[in-house]
Amino acid sequence: MLEELQVSLKMSETPSTTLSVVHLTSSEGQVHSPRHSNVTHPVVAKRISFYKSGDPQFGGVKVVVNPRSFKTFDALLDNLSRKVPLPFGVRNISTPRGRHSITRLEELEDGESYLCSHNRKVLPVDLDKARRRPRPWLSSRSISTHVHLSSAAAVPTTAPGMLRAPRRLVVFRNGDPKTRRVVLLSRRVTQSFEAFLQYLTQVMQCPVAKLYATDGRKVPSLQAVILSSGAVVAAGREPFKPGNYDIQKYLLPAKLPGISHRVHRKGKATLEKRKSGNWKVSVTTSDFPNAGTSSQVYIVLYGQCRSSVPIYLYGRDGARFQDGHEDIFTITVGDIGKPFKIRIGHTNSGYSPSWHCKGIELQNMNSGEKFYIPVQQWLAQEQEDGEICREFPILSKGQPVLPVTKYEVYITTGELWNAGTVANVYLSVYGEKGDTGSRKLSRSKSALMFLRGQIDTFFLEAVNLGNLCKIVIGHDGLGPGNGWFLEDIVIRDPTTNNEYAFFCHRWLDEGEDDGKIVREMYARDNTIFSVRKKLELKIKETWAAESWKFMKGNTLQFYSKLTGGFVRLHPDGTVDAVGEQTDRYGLFDVIFNKGNLCIFQSHEMRHLSLALDNGGAAGMASGGALTELRVLYQPNRCALLESALCPGHTLVVDRHGKVADESSAGYAELSKEFLVFVKGVFLNSAVVILATSLCQALCLQSDGTCTGAGNQSEQSHWRVHRVSSGICMFESVKNARMYLRIKDGHCNGTGTGDTDCHFKIKRNLENASISLESLKSPGLFVGLQPDGQAKPVIYTKDENVCFYPRVIQFGRENPMGMSATPSQGEDKMHLSKHQKETLLESKARHPSPLSSEKESRHSHSTETLLSEGEWKVLVVTGDTGTQANVTLWVYGDEGVTGPISLTKDSPEQLFLPGQKDEFQVVLSSIGEIYKIRIGHDGTSGQPEWSLQRVTMEHMKSKKTLNFVANVWLSRNQADGDIVCELPVMKEGGPVFPLVRYHVDVYTGQLKQAGTESEVSLCLYGERGDSGLRLLHRSNMPVRFQRGQIDAFQIEAVSLGNLQKVLLHCEASDKAQYWYCEKVIVKDPGTASESIFTCERWIPFMSQGSMHSEIELYCQEMQINHPPKIQEEANDGDWKVTVVTGDLENAGTTATVSLCVYGEARCSGPIILGSGKHHLFNPNSADIFKINLKDIGEISKIHIGHDNGGEDPGWYVEEVTLENMATRERFLLTVDSWISDRENDGQYTWKEVPIIRSHRGPLLGIM
């Protein structure tokens, strides 16, 4: 039964948040977020569909997003929380595959679909299925007690997990079998697994966060609940507590299959049946030392009618199962019929779980019949075969009724990257004579189990099951990289030599495929058929991966591994396979393609095509039937070229490269397999996929790392920037200006386009792949670890350095033969969609600084388009040169272009003392240029640089722009800047002045508020931004100390009125988090002062993910960007103040949540935040905003935590609730520890009633 394989599944902790403003329940109000710009732009209404993470049964909701309906992203989240059933509301929106989180309304695209979740972890959903699939309770038929079907074939099959009719479920309270409830699994309560847990919270009158089967295995999903044995154990955050969870008297079936509905009078027959289910069980532990166990022992009885559930054997008078003792129990299992086997095992818990059992005696207390089972075996992981669960047949006349069989189990893990798992794997085998129960697979013949491409062998001992019919296999989801790609399983029965094949070829991974980690598979008793199916599937997948090569218009080469040469078609029509890679006769154009039927025309001689005739190959006129060849791919990525006119006749060559007949020589001397290469794959601006397997590719992840286990989707698209012949850079299409690179022993996608991103392409002829060698670090290649993560490796012929390119969009040759670096961009007509969007965003961010001059320029089209096209940039170095990487930004009144990497093929010859370096760049339309920013990255052995001036000349109009510098760019010289801004010089003076802004940064007074991490700041004003500047030189000897004011200076071209600042603090360790109180920026020229209030920790948690930067708006603009709790109240908004006591260790590291109960309903758990992110410290008050709309008059609250972190214990002094509209206020005194180590040690939550003057408090259950 499936419930015996409800493997333990670690519940992911709900991500906490340090946001002081929390919106959990629905609200139609419009909350102004302090992170959005106050500039309003016209936005067209977007029609968007939202689906629920991991729930293909949820049909989705359609929402129209426009500035009138949702002014902020938080308002949208609040609205969706009402429509998408999630336990903590919608706190995260992501793309359909769950790869990218959406954090701004502007990122939502019209007509697209997105996933909603309540934390950062997102389970992908097949949107096609979600759109068309009806809910199971709408599509299934109820079973009628009055209809009898004549045959099994007439019974309609229903997918596992579908409800046919409301069924009963017994729910036990964890550790208390006497507290139980019977619930109906109706449509109303099974909308989702989270909604079902909330329903059980109300039914059981205690928090329910997890469900277990009665044997202690986790029930991880709604499907598992529906397929369960009819009983579950409801638990909060605590682990499973074994108990005698007997369900027989609660789930007696109303009607057994195949028996008509009868009504019996109560009488002796019924009483006899009940008595027949009572058994006396005597268990004898062996009498040698350490034979006893501290673990929980259970037993399962199998009879001819049915089996019992696992029954734990407890006693009331002290320890059980001690050395040499006999323990006697009475159990009730119902009418199982005549027993034929038992299963006994333990939970491997306690200080000494190993157990040696001597024997077991069963006695039917009704008939007196006795059965003795001699065991005489260890049930211990460190003894014998490591099994902690064993099966034994019942003895009849001294002989077992069934033999014990040791099944051989062969499990093959797939070849995909990251296919292996470190999770605990469980298997249950089913046959015509019962099942094995869920067995943990812990002892393989291999040292490490379930590695990529590995076959693991296990032995599974059980009472013989007869012919096998199915298996259920799954894992518990524990450990890093726990997802598993299971290829197949073969089970051999040594008593009959029968082999049963179970073909899977799917992921068991919450983040892949359908998100399941448990799969049910049915046996194929013909292993040859299974092998054939695997081969057919592999060929199908190979063709899907390689078919792009045969698109009409492609130019191909065919390589023979036997000859080491390429197929050639000579002018005289002869064919051989000994050509060089550069041989012009070895190129073939695809001039016809229909499926796998193609015509290959000679690229050099257009009148000839490759043809197969009379057992040979030759060149013939294109279009003839003999020139039509069928491409047949093999699993090894090799192709056969077969005649379409004569099936079975293929192109065959001998080891000398001559065309041959298959019968003309031995098999080893011939080959008909060819590797196919496409010409022009890495032309400039091409978009390619670097495939790592048939269905995976090198992918840039959100944190900048790269993995070879990504899907072949847009996330895996790379734009090629050809530096020179055979040398390219790869820029992520999805994340512009992020390049693949090897630097400092790491391989990732955080490159900026410098020489670290230059790769030499090495073609591997033996498998039609390429390898990428770092040009800056020769000998280091882009490689993959077994989990798919990219890393620099030394080249070997192993597949971990092999990538199979696939062209999504072909590029073009470089214009004028020049090297095209990413900094040089492309013509406007060749801009990608992402680049165009970036330009539009740039225009929106940088309004015109020359609005008064704009109208006059509009009358001169040549002036307006001046910034477009190619520019020559001349950089003059002073008496000190640099070897660091130099970058340029160009600002116009309609946008910005940059960063532009100023580099050439010989970077060591650039920026030498007194030298003039010339570069050519391509700028898009950014309006009239008014400033540039230029600087270096401070790397290399000589990072200092004396910059004299920069000149820009438009290649077409010859107009020249001058920028006077005369600055030192050095961390150790002058003011310590390595970046400077230069305004355009006109008529001897700058168009805008240079301003040295005085920046005062206030670090808060909180404990550990200071940081040693680097802090950067960017100023934004009417005329663009200053760029992100490292706050390097402070007036204080040690920067950013608690309670300190650090003064810095930032020089930039005048920004006009300041609008906002961006603060960035990267800290990997909690001890390095920084609490910033505020930032004050002074403009000495105008004597103006701008105050930007922060009052929060950086980094901080928002919508389930950590953020290292925050935007702060000027205090005078706070009407549009109100901070924290001071915003305008919406209907139902309440301010919550939580005061932590001043006792020692009163604070908590756990995630705190609040439930508010009203007359109409309960708010559900509202996560307030986590102590891991500087909330709930001793002697502190934390303020939050929540929405309690439509819950009615408040009667009580529950406040508690998830018991997470190193020190979860928490002393709460008081909680205050204040209605932000009516100012109604409740002060709730707690003065109590909320901890499993304080008070009674049972609860990590506290219930506090509301005391009103006109009524008494609601009594709690504490």
Side-chain angles (χ1 to χ4, degrees):
M1 298 187 331
L2 183 60
E3 65 272 12
E4 293 182 4
L5 194 68
Q6 299 307 327
V7 295
S8 301
L9 182 63
K10 181 179 180 181
M11 292 189 65
S12 58
E13 293 184 0
T14 304
S16 58
T17 174
T18 58
L19 286 173
S20 296
V21 182
V22 181
H23 308 277
L24 261 291
T25 56
S26 60
S27 174
E28 294 294 339
Q30 297 157 353
V31 182
H32 298 284
S33 167
R35 299 192 64 186
H36 296 300
S37 172
N38 69 323
V39 181
T40 303
H41 303 283
V43 179
V44 180
K46 305 173 187 176
R47 292 167 176 81
I48 302 171
S49 298
F50 294 94
Y51 295 85
K52 182 182 174 185
S53 167
D55 188 358
Q57 303 293 342
F58 182 72
V61 294
K62 293 184 178 180
V63 178
V64 177
V65 178
N66 60 46
R68 293 182 299 278
S69 58
F70 305 104
K71 290 188 176 179
T72 67
F73 188 69
D74 288 339
L76 174 63
L77 295 179
D78 290 345
N79 183 272
L80 289 173
S81 297
R82 228 171 61 182
K83 300 175 180 178
V84 181
L86 287 168
F88 307 118
V90 177
R91 307 317 310 156
N92 183 60
I93 296 175
S94 64
T95 52
R97 291 297 300 170
R99 303 293 187 187
H100 298 286
S101 291
I102 305 298
T103 57
R104 299 185 300 123
L105 292 175
E106 292 79 2
E107 296 176 17
L108 297 170
E109 297 186 14
D110 185 29
E112 296 297 324
S113 299
Y114 299 89
L115 294 185
C116 299
S117 61
H118 65 267
N119 56 30
R120 187 179 182 185
K121 187 174 183 180
V122 179
L123 300 180
V125 170
D126 187 333
L127 296 184
D128 291 335
K129 290 183 180 180
R131 292 183 183 113
R132 68 173 181 264
R133 183 174 181 179
R135 298 192 178 179
W137 42 78
L138 297 179
S139 60
S140 308
R141 291 197 303 125
S142 298
I143 296 177
S144 172
T145 58
H146 304 289
V147 179
H148 303 279
L149 301 178
S150 58
S151 68
V155 179
T157 59
T158 306
M162 290 190 175
L163 284 173
R164 294 179 175 174
R167 57 169 292 189
R168 292 188 300 168
L169 181 75
V170 177
V171 184
F172 292 95
R173 187 167 182 173
N174 191 26
D176 184 10
K178 294 182 179 179
T179 302
R180 59 211 168 230
R181 299 289 185 271
V182 179
V183 300
L184 286 178
L185 298 181
S186 64
R187 172 186 175 184
R188 181 178 65 84
V189 302
T190 54
Q191 294 281 342
S192 67
F193 189 56
E194 293 82 2
F196 184 61
L197 294 179
Q198 286 191 5
Y199 171 71
L200 292 183
T201 297
Q202 299 175 3
V203 171
M204 303 301 292
Q205 296 184 348
C206 66
V208 177
K210 295 178 286 190
L211 296 180
Y212 294 91
T214 54
D215 61 352
R217 305 207 183 275
K218 275 190 178 176
V219 178
S221 65
L222 187 61
Q223 183 188 39
V225 173
I226 296 170
L227 294 176
S228 69
S229 61
V232 294
V233 179
R237 297 288 181 183
E238 74 278 6
F240 174 75
K241 300 176 182 178
N244 196 6
Y245 301 107
D246 183 13
I247 67 169
Q248 298 303 316
K249 60 183 177 181
Y250 302 104
L251 293 176
L252 292 177
K255 176 191 166 192
L256 295 175
I259 301 177
S260 61
H261 186 70
R262 300 186 182 97
V263 177
H264 298 279
R265 295 179 181 272
K266 294 182 179 179
K268 293 183 178 181
T270 305
L271 184 60
E272 290 298 324
K273 279 191 176 183
R274 289 183 181 177
K275 287 184 177 180
S276 67
N278 293 332
W279 291 78
K280 179 181 176 182
V281 180
S282 301
V283 182
T284 303
T285 300
S286 299
D287 59 358
F288 51 79
N290 300 319
T293 181
S294 61
S295 188
Q296 299 291 341
V297 176
Y298 65 88
I299 189 171
V300 182
L301 273 61
Y302 280 76
Q304 293 176 340
C305 297
R306 61 179 180 84
S307 64
S308 73
V309 297
I311 300 172
Y312 284 87
L313 303 179
Y314 293 98
R316 298 180 180 177
D317 51 353
R320 296 284 172 167
F321 309 109
Q322 300 303 301
D323 302 352
H325 284 206
E326 180 184 24
D327 298 287
I328 301 175
F329 308 89
T330 300
I331 63 174
T332 302
V333 296
D335 186 10
I336 64 173
K338 188 174 181 178
F340 66 87
K341 77 170 182 177
I342 68 165
R343 181 184 306 127
I344 191 162
H346 61 81
T347 59
N348 201 47
S349 59
Y351 59 91
S352 178
S354 300
W355 182 39
H356 194 280
C357 180
K358 182 177 182 180
I360 301 170
E361 183 179 85
L362 301 177
Q363 180 180 0
N364 189 317
M365 298 182 68
N366 182 43
S367 65
E369 189 176 14
K370 291 184 179 181
F371 305 93
Y372 181 74
I373 299 99
V375 178
Q376 295 292 354
Q377 280 187 283
W378 279 103
L379 284 80
Q381 285 190 342
E382 66 277 5
Q383 300 286 346
E384 295 178 355
D385 56 3
E387 293 291 335
I388 60 173
C389 170
R390 297 191 184 278
E391 289 190 356
F392 301 95
I394 298 295
L395 301 181
S396 176
K397 297 180 181 180
Q399 296 297 320
V401 296
L402 289 171
V404 175
T405 301
K406 184 168 284 190
Y407 292 95
E408 299 172 16
V409 181
Y410 304 93
I411 299 180
T412 305
T413 300
E415 295 281 352
L416 299 184
W417 292 101
N418 204 25
T421 185
V422 297
N424 297 312
V425 176
Y426 296 83
L427 174 69
S428 184
V429 183
Y430 295 77
E432 59 185 356
K433 297 177 183 177
D435 61 82
T436 63
S438 176
R439 304 289 187 91
K440 181 180 177 181
L441 302 178
S442 57
R443 289 201 176 184
S444 168
K445 287 186 175 181
S446 305
L448 297 174
M449 299 183 296
F450 310 117
L451 298 181
R452 171 178 176 261
Q454 179 172 289
I455 300 177
D456 290 279
T457 304
F458 301 90
F459 293 97
L460 195 154
E461 187 179 85
V463 173
N464 191 273
L465 302 171
N467 290 326
L468 304 186
C469 58
K470 73 170 183 177
I471 63 170
V472 179
I473 190 165
H475 62 81
D476 57 10
L478 299 178
N482 53 61
W484 185 30
F485 189 87
L486 173 62
E487 189 66 40
D488 59 33
I489 298 176
V490 176
I491 300 179
R492 179 178 172 270
D493 184 345
T495 61
T496 62
N497 280 329
N498 287 341
E499 288 187 349
Y500 302 87
F502 303 87
F503 186 66
C504 182
H505 195 69
R506 296 187 70 177
W507 283 101
L508 283 75
D509 190 339
E510 290 181 321
E512 298 286 350
D513 205 338
D514 57 2
K516 294 181 180 178
I517 60 173
V518 178
R519 295 205 179 276
E520 183 176 294
M521 294 175 283
Y522 289 86
R524 300 183 183 277
D525 53 5
N526 188 338
T527 54
I528 296 177
F529 176 82
S530 178
V531 171
R532 185 184 301 120
K533 182 178 179 181
K534 286 174 61 176
L535 181 61
E536 291 174 353
L537 181 61
K538 188 70 176 291
I539 291 175
K540 183 179 179 181
E541 290 180 341
T542 305
W543 172 249
E546 298 282 307
S547 59
W548 69 273
K549 296 180 177 179
F550 302 94
M551 294 171 54
K552 184 178 178 180
N554 285 358
T555 301
L556 309 180
Q557 291 178 295
F558 300 99
Y559 176 77
S560 171
K561 291 195 288 185
L562 178 64
T563 67
F566 291 85
V567 174
R568 296 185 297 181
L569 175 56
H570 296 277
D572 61 359
T574 58
V575 175
D576 63 31
V578 292
E580 297 292 332
Q581 187 172 355
T582 56
D583 197 317
R584 59 180 180 170
Y585 295 127
L587 300 178
F588 297 88
D589 296 332
V590 182
I591 63 170
F592 173 79
N593 168 259
K594 186 176 182 181
N596 65 341
L597 192 65
C598 301
I599 296 178
F600 303 109
Q601 183 185 77
S602 171
H603 185 73
E604 184 70 16
M605 300 163 294
R606 304 289 181 176
H607 63 287
L608 292 180
S609 293
L610 191 62
L612 295 177
D613 182 32
N614 297 325
M620 294 187 180
S622 302
L626 295 175
T627 62
E628 293 184 1
L629 304 182
R630 196 176 301 278
V631 181
L632 304 177
Y633 257 95
Q634 305 303 298
N636 60 355
R637 289 184 182 260
C638 290
L640 277 58
L641 301 181
E642 180 188 62
S643 170
L645 188 63
C646 303
H649 176 37
T650 59
L651 175 61
V652 182
V653 296
D654 61 21
R655 61 187 181 90
H656 301 294
K658 295 181 180 180
V659 175
D661 191 291
E662 289 189 55
S663 61
S664 62
Y667 178 79
E669 297 291 321
L670 302 179
S671 175
K672 54 184 178 181
E673 294 183 342
F674 300 93
L675 290 163
V676 183
F677 292 84
V678 182
K679 297 293 288 184
V681 171
F682 296 106
L683 293 178
N684 195 55
S685 299
V687 177
V688 300
I689 284 177
L690 299 175
T692 55
S693 70
L694 295 177
C695 59
Q696 295 174 303
L698 188 68
C699 169
L700 176 63
Q701 298 179 297
S702 57
D703 60 357
T705 61
C706 290
T707 176
N711 295 322
Q712 293 182 1
S713 60
E714 188 179 0
Q715 190 69 21
S716 303
H717 290 184
W718 299 90
R719 186 175 301 280
V720 178
H721 295 279
R722 191 172 180 182
V723 179
S724 60
S725 178
I727 298 175
C728 296
M729 292 190 292
F730 298 91
E731 177 190 15
S732 171
V733 172
K734 189 71 174 178
N735 301 279
R737 296 187 296 278
M738 294 187 71
Y739 297 83
L740 183 66
R741 76 170 182 182
I742 289 179
K743 184 177 181 180
D744 299 331
H746 298 283
C747 179
N748 53 43
T750 59
T752 58
D754 54 17
T755 54
D756 293 320
C757 308
H758 292 188
F759 291 96
K760 183 178 181 180
I761 298 175
K762 173 182 172 59
R763 287 176 170 82
N764 304 309
L765 297 179
E766 295 304 308
N767 58 5
S769 69
I770 59 121
S771 298
L772 302 177
E773 181 183 13
S774 172
L775 191 65
K776 191 171 182 180
S777 304
L780 285 183
F781 288 75
V782 177
L784 300 179
Q785 301 180 80
D787 63 358
Q789 289 299 311
K791 70 170 184 178
V793 298
I794 297 174
Y795 179 78
T796 63
K797 291 189 177 181
D798 294 337
E799 59 181 337
N800 68 323
V801 296
C802 295
F803 299 93
Y804 301 88
R806 174 183 170 188
V807 178
I808 303 300
Q809 175 185 322
F810 278 91
R812 56 185 174 82
E813 295 292 345
N814 293 330
M816 300 184 297
M818 57 184 287
S819 298
T821 68
S823 61
Q824 293 167 337
E826 296 183 27
D827 295 340
K828 185 177 180 181
M829 62 182 293
H830 294 286
L831 288 175
S832 68
K833 177 181 177 183
H834 183 90
Q835 289 169 324
K836 291 177 181 177
E837 291 173 352
T838 304
L839 290 174
L840 291 175
E841 292 175 2
S842 298
K843 293 177 184 179
R845 287 196 304 265
H846 306 286
S848 171
L850 307 171
S851 57
S852 61
E853 301 176 19
K854 225 175 181 182
E855 294 181 4
S856 62
R857 286 204 317 273
H858 281 307
S859 61
H860 305 285
S861 59
T862 56
E863 290 292 321
T864 305
L865 300 178
L866 181 61
S867 62
E868 291 188 28
E870 297 178 3
W871 287 76
K872 182 169 66 176
V873 178
L874 183 69
V875 180
V876 181
T877 299
D879 55 5
T880 302
T882 184
Q883 295 178 3
N885 301 307
V886 176
T887 307
L888 173 72
W889 291 260
V890 182
Y891 282 76
D893 57 6
E894 294 181 10
V896 59
T897 296
I900 302 170
S901 179
L902 300 182
T903 185
K904 290 184 179 180
D905 292 341
S906 301
E908 65 278 0
Q909 300 299 320
L910 296 177
F911 312 114
L912 299 177
Q915 181 171 291
K916 297 180 181 179
D917 294 287
E918 185 177 300
F919 306 88
Q920 290 182 355
V921 301
V922 178
L923 302 182
S924 301
S925 179
I926 60 174
E928 185 167 344
I929 298 171
Y930 66 92
K931 77 170 182 178
I932 65 170
R933 184 185 310 122
I934 189 169
H936 61 81
D937 58 4
T939 59
S940 79
Q942 189 175 347
E944 298 182 349
W945 188 27
S946 172
L947 175 63
Q948 281 194 352
R949 71 176 185 274
V950 178
T951 302
M952 294 180 63
E953 180 182 344
H954 193 264
M955 300 285 286
K956 187 175 181 180
S957 68
K958 302 302 181 183
K959 180 168 182 177
T960 301
L961 302 177
N962 295 309
F963 304 88
V964 178
N966 294 322
V967 295
W968 269 94
L969 300 180
S970 169
R971 289 287 186 217
N972 304 318
Q973 302 285 340
D975 55 7
D977 284 336
I978 58 174
V979 175
C980 70
E981 288 199 351
L982 306 174
V984 170
M985 303 298 292
K986 279 189 178 181
E987 300 177 358
V991 293
F992 295 109
L994 276 172
V995 176
R996 185 169 290 274
Y997 293 95
H998 293 199
V999 180
D1000 293 336
V1001 180
Y1002 290 69
T1003 300
Q1005 296 282 354
L1006 300 182
K1007 186 178 180 181
Q1008 296 183 335
T1011 184
E1012 296 178 1
S1013 301
E1014 290 187 342
V1015 176
S1016 302
L1017 177 140
C1018 179
L1019 302 175
Y1020 291 83
E1022 294 176 310
R1023 304 190 190 104
D1025 61 78
S1026 66
L1028 197 63
R1029 307 288 187 93
L1030 179 66
L1031 298 181
H1032 177 65
R1033 289 204 170 181
S1034 168
N1035 62 325
M1036 308 299 290
V1038 181
R1039 295 169 293 173
F1040 310 117
Q1041 297 300 296
R1042 176 183 175 187
Q1044 182 171 291
I1045 303 174
D1046 290 272
F1048 304 91
Q1049 293 186 8
I1050 293 179
E1051 187 176 73
V1053 173
S1054 175
L1055 300 171
N1057 292 328
L1058 295 182
Q1059 297 171 341
K1060 65 178 180 180
V1061 300
L1062 182 143
L1063 276 177
H1064 180 96
C1065 176
E1066 195 77 47
S1068 57
D1069 184 11
K1070 175 183 174 182
Q1072 293 303 316
Y1073 286 13
W1074 177 46
Y1075 187 87
C1076 177
E1077 185 176 307
K1078 63 183 175 181
V1079 176
I1080 297 179
V1081 183
K1082 301 174 184 177
D1083 183 344
T1086 62
S1088 62
E1089 183 178 279
S1090 302
I1091 302 175
F1092 303 88
T1093 303
C1094 181
E1095 295 181 356
R1096 73 183 311 161
W1097 292 93
I1098 309 174
F1100 62 94
M1101 179 75 76
S1102 176
Q1103 298 171 13
S1105 60
M1106 293 299 296
H1107 296 266
S1108 298
E1109 59 185 34
I1110 183 173
E1111 291 181 352
L1112 309 175
Y1113 290 85
C1114 188
Q1115 204 168 69
E1116 63 191 30
M1117 302 170 62
Q1118 293 299 325
I1119 296 174
N1120 292 324
H1121 303 278
K1124 296 188 177 181
I1125 206 71
Q1126 301 169 4
E1127 55 204 302
E1128 179 183 352
N1130 296 302
D1131 184 22
D1133 282 353
W1134 287 71
K1135 182 169 72 173
V1136 179
T1137 305
V1138 181
V1139 179
T1140 301
D1142 59 357
L1143 303 179
E1144 184 178 3
N1145 299 322
T1148 180
T1149 58
T1151 299
V1152 173
S1153 58
L1154 174 74
C1155 286
V1156 183
Y1157 290 79
E1159 290 180 331
R1161 63 182 181 87
C1162 171
S1163 68
I1166 301 173
I1167 295 180
L1168 299 181
S1170 171
K1172 297 176 184 177
H1173 304 297
H1174 295 286
L1175 289 174
F1176 313 113
N1177 291 315
N1179 195 25
S1180 66
D1182 297 287
I1183 302 174
F1184 309 89
K1185 193 186 82 169
I1186 63 176
N1187 191 279
L1188 303 176
K1189 186 179 180 182
D1190 299 330
I1191 72 167
E1193 193 173 66
I1194 299 175
S1195 58
K1196 65 179 179 178
I1197 68 166
H1198 279 186
I1199 188 166
H1201 58 77
D1202 64 356
N1203 210 37
E1206 297 178 357
D1207 190 11
W1210 184 32
Y1211 189 86
V1212 185
E1213 194 170 292
E1214 64 184 32
V1215 178
T1216 304
L1217 300 177
E1218 182 180 350
N1219 190 313
M1220 297 179 66
T1222 64
R1223 298 304 173 189
E1224 182 181 17
R1225 189 170 181 271
F1226 300 106
L1227 176 61
L1228 309 178
T1229 302
V1230 182
D1231 278 336
S1232 174
W1233 283 98
I1234 301 180
S1235 170
D1236 60 359
R1237 297 193 300 270
E1238 305 287 345
N1239 295 341
D1240 53 15
Q1242 296 184 14
Y1243 299 101
T1244 54
W1245 54 273
K1246 183 78 174 178
E1247 182 177 287
V1248 185
I1250 299 291
I1251 301 178
R1252 300 178 185 271
S1253 58
H1254 60 281
R1255 68 176 71 172
L1258 181 68
L1259 294 178
I1261 63 170
M1262 293 294 288

